[in-house]
Amino acid sequence: MTYTLYLIADLAGSRVAIESSQVESVVHVPDIVPVPKCDPSIAGIFALRSRVLTLIDTQFYITGMQQMVQKGTLAVVTEIAGHQYGLLVDKVHDVVPIAFEQADSNIRPPAAWSRYVDHIATHEGELVMILNTDTLVSGQMVPAT
């Protein structure tokens, strides 16, 4: 069995996994600067290590409701197409190995998640949706600079 490491987190009330190779870091977001008249999935921008990152309201994609973002909110920092993004999450648990064989192709994610989930796996007896981070920022091709 071949294992891949995943960061396990909670997002919009569900357990999700993000492949660790896509995770640069997990941060408590410092001050957030709103971006007027932008897509509602953009929570704002923030500075991290002398760089400006676009903060994606991942919950918005699932629930259609914008998340109240405050200083200290958790974000998973990832790089997509050469740009860094912060993906808002509710809670981070651990980095764990999951084997592709643990993914169950017979289980489908709820409709709101289907565009963003590659597979569903079982970890410690719990279903975990394996996210595709590229789809979480698709359509957001104008990163903060």
Side-chain angles (χ1 to χ4, degrees):
M1 225 183 282
T2 304
Y3 289 90
T4 302
L5 291 176
Y6 288 89
L7 174 72
I8 305 295
D10 290 342
L11 170 59
S14 295
R15 187 70 43 106
V16 298
I18 301 171
E19 190 172 334
S20 64
S21 65
Q22 299 173 342
V23 176
E24 182 180 304
S25 61
V26 176
V27 298
H28 290 277
V29 177
D31 292 324
I32 302 150
V33 178
V35 180
K37 299 182 182 180
C38 72
D39 187 275
S41 65
I42 304 293
I45 57 176
F46 69 102
L48 180 67
R49 299 190 268 299
S50 301
R51 295 188 66 165
V52 177
L53 281 71
T54 303
L55 186 60
I56 305 295
D57 183 352
T58 48
Q59 174 182 285
F60 178 80
Y61 289 119
I62 307 307
T63 66
M65 298 172 51
Q66 289 181 301
Q67 183 175 345
M68 291 298 298
V69 183
Q70 302 174 37
K71 184 177 183 174
T73 301
L74 279 174
V76 175
V77 176
T78 187
E79 187 173 310
I80 298 170
H83 301 285
Q84 289 184 315
Y85 295 88
L87 306 176
L88 289 173
V89 295
D90 301 328
K91 185 177 182 180
V92 172
H93 295 279
D94 202 357
V95 175
V96 300
I98 297 177
F100 182 75
E101 292 81 2
Q102 290 173 270
D104 190 335
S105 60
N106 294 322
I107 300 175
R108 299 283 178 238
W113 289 92
S114 62
R115 179 173 179 223
Y116 313 108
V117 174
D118 283 340
H119 305 286
I120 295 181
T122 303
H123 176 69
E124 295 181 354
E126 219 177 323
L127 292 177
V128 178
M129 293 183 283
I130 299 176
L131 292 183
N132 181 325
T133 56
D134 290 349
T135 61
L136 285 172
V137 297
S138 65
Q140 311 306 324
M141 299 317 292
V142 183
T145 55

